[in-house]
Amino acid sequence: TMTGTVVDTDNLPLIGVNVVIKGTSTGTTTDLDGKFTLTGENGQTLVFSYIGMTLQEIVYKGKPLHVIMKDDSKALEEVVIIGYQTVKKSDLTGAVAVVDTKEMKKSSAGTLVSQMQGLATGVNVRSSGRAGEDASIQIRGVGSLSNNAPLWVVDGMITDPGVDFNPADVESIQILKDASATAVYGVRGANGVILITTKRGQLGKPKVTLRSEYAVLTGLRYPEYINAAEYAGLMNEARDNAGVANMAYTDEEIELFRNGSSPYLYPNVNWVDEVLKKNTTQSITNLNITGGTEVVRYFVNVGYTTQSGLYRDNGDNAYSTNSRVNRYNYRSRVDVNLTKDLSVELGVGGIIQNRN
């Protein structure tokens, strides 16, 4: 049994510190007195993490631990965008969540909102699972009777929801959640605000990046139905329980459903298997180039995404019976310093999409 106490630099106990055995999913949190108890083995490494404090890794050697967590000064100095200004995290009073774009890259989802799932507290993301359709997003639940969608602001410009926004174009994402953080947007920010800053050119020689992903998508849950013979038997049972003399099906008809000898008059078809398949595919490719000098800096990205649904293609039809999306994205940002006090910024973005 691993035991210990976690305190801050003032020797005050810390409540809710995450304690995990490194390389495993075994973990716990500290109680009201900052104490923890965990089952493991000597020599294993314990990882201690807490919001706003530096992560620590300590090897357990059989004796109770006394862990002192220190403030993460780097995190407190981090600059956060709120509305039309930036502030340090340490000076922040409103409820603002910063989405880790590095964690987003680990997701196989093809859309921006789906990649944000689980990366910000108080943000609820629901995916329909249909090819090419993005998930719905709510910030701190339902805020109004009709439209509960948050306000989207890309590079300072209010825009449509980020259904088709290419995640590869994103530099940072901030989510404003409470009234003090969204006040600058007035009533339009009542359901929260999602601020997106796109990537821009960096000083240096041209840098070309190609990222290509291929994924196999699997349906997680399919409805399971009883077969035709079972249905017919239960119909007879229901009529018998209701006191109806005439049965819906004879024993001979139920047997025909079961043995499949008369498939046209007594069919027994599993329509889930006939209409849906278990797996489908998705491909995402992005090519970008960035670079520049003290005078001109540029960033250009082109992307292609294709995803098919879980419906089976019927070769008897001239058209495709499966859902599919083919999406082309383009975005460029060019910054030009005309003089010491005057600069020009040009941003161009476009989406071409074909969805079945």
Side-chain angles (χ1 to χ4, degrees), residues 227-271:
N227 60 41
E230 292 170 330
Y231 174 84
L234 288 172
M235 282 292 291
N236 286 347
E237 184 179 332
R239 293 172 72 88
D240 184 51
N241 292 336
V244 179
N246 297 326
M247 294 294 100
Y249 301 94
T250 65
D251 292 341
E252 290 76 14
E253 287 176 320
I254 294 177
E255 182 59 30
L256 289 172
F257 280 126
R258 182 176 288 109
N259 61 36
S261 60
S262 183
Y264 291 104
L265 295 177
Y266 301 94
N268 183 20
V269 180
N270 186 333
W271 286 108

Side-chain angles (χ1 to χ4, degrees), residues 139-187:
I139 299 174
R140 288 190 168 179
V142 177
S144 57
L145 293 176
S146 55
N147 182 14
N148 294 295
L151 183 70
W152 289 78
V153 181
V154 179
D155 292 334
M157 301 292 290
I158 294 174
T159 183
D160 292 331
V163 174
D164 303 319
F165 204 87
N166 188 359
D169 298 335
V170 175
E171 179 68 31
S172 64
I173 300 176
Q174 278 83 25
I175 300 177
L176 314 185
K177 296 186 285 187
D178 70 346
S180 63
T182 64
V184 69
Y185 295 101
V187 70

Side-chain angles (χ1 to χ4, degrees), residues 54-110:
T54 305
L55 184 141
Q56 289 196 45
E57 295 186 4
I58 300 176
V59 177
Y60 191 81
K61 297 181 179 180
K63 297 181 180 180
L65 295 175
H66 185 74
V67 182
I68 301 175
M69 301 288 285
K70 298 180 180 179
D71 291 337
D72 188 352
S73 58
K74 183 178 179 181
L76 294 175
E77 291 294 319
E78 185 179 338
V79 173
V80 178
I81 301 172
I82 55 167
Y84 298 100
Q85 60 176 324
T86 59
V87 298
K88 292 182 179 179
K89 265 191 176 179
S90 57
D91 300 330
L92 195 61
T93 57
V96 179
V98 179
V99 179
D100 190 344
T101 53
K102 292 182 180 179
E103 289 296 320
M104 287 175 57
K105 292 179 180 179
K106 299 177 182 179
S107 170
S108 62

Side-chain angles (χ1 to χ4, degrees), residues 192-355:
V193 181
I194 298 177
L195 300 177
I196 295 178
T197 303
T198 60
K199 294 179 180 178
R200 60 197 312 167
Q202 303 293 327
L203 287 173
K205 296 180 179 180
K207 180 182 178 182
V208 179
T209 303
L210 173 66
R211 179 185 173 99
S212 186
E213 308 171 36
Y214 182 83
V216 176
L217 311 181
T218 302
L220 294 180
R221 186 173 59 192
Y222 292 88
E224 295 182 6
Y225 299 106
I226 59 177
N227 60 41
E230 292 170 330
Y231 174 84
L234 288 172
M235 282 292 291
N236 286 347
E237 184 179 332
R239 293 172 72 88
D240 184 51
N241 292 336
V244 179
N246 297 326
M247 294 294 100
Y249 301 94
T250 65
D251 292 341
E252 290 76 14
E253 287 176 320
I254 294 177
E255 182 59 30
L256 289 172
F257 280 126
R258 182 176 288 109
N259 61 36
S261 60
S262 183
Y264 291 104
L265 295 177
Y266 301 94
N268 183 20
V269 180
N270 186 333
W271 286 108
V272 174
D273 289 342
E274 292 293 326
V275 175
L276 300 175
K277 53 187 179 180
K278 302 299 182 184
N279 302 300
T280 187
T281 59
Q282 170 186 282
S283 176
I284 304 173
T285 302
N286 282 283
L287 175 65
N288 64 63
I289 180 171
T290 182
T293 64
E294 293 289 347
V295 178
V296 180
R297 295 172 301 281
Y298 56 87
F299 170 83
V300 180
N301 182 74
V302 290
Y304 172 67
T305 300
T306 178
Q307 180 183 347
S308 59
L310 290 169
Y311 299 103
R312 293 187 183 277
D313 268 311
N314 186 342
D316 297 334
N317 297 320
Y319 53 87
S320 174
T321 54
N322 191 14
S323 58
R324 175 179 291 276
V325 63
N326 292 309
R327 181 185 304 138
Y328 301 87
N329 297 83
Y330 169 81
R331 182 168 294 274
S332 69
R333 288 191 69 176
V334 179
D335 299 309
V336 182
N337 295 333
L338 298 179
T339 67
K340 184 187 298 183
D341 303 315
L342 179 63
S343 63
V344 176
E345 181 181 311
L346 174 64
V348 179
I351 301 166
I352 299 174
Q353 178 172 272
N354 180 17
R355 188 164 67 197

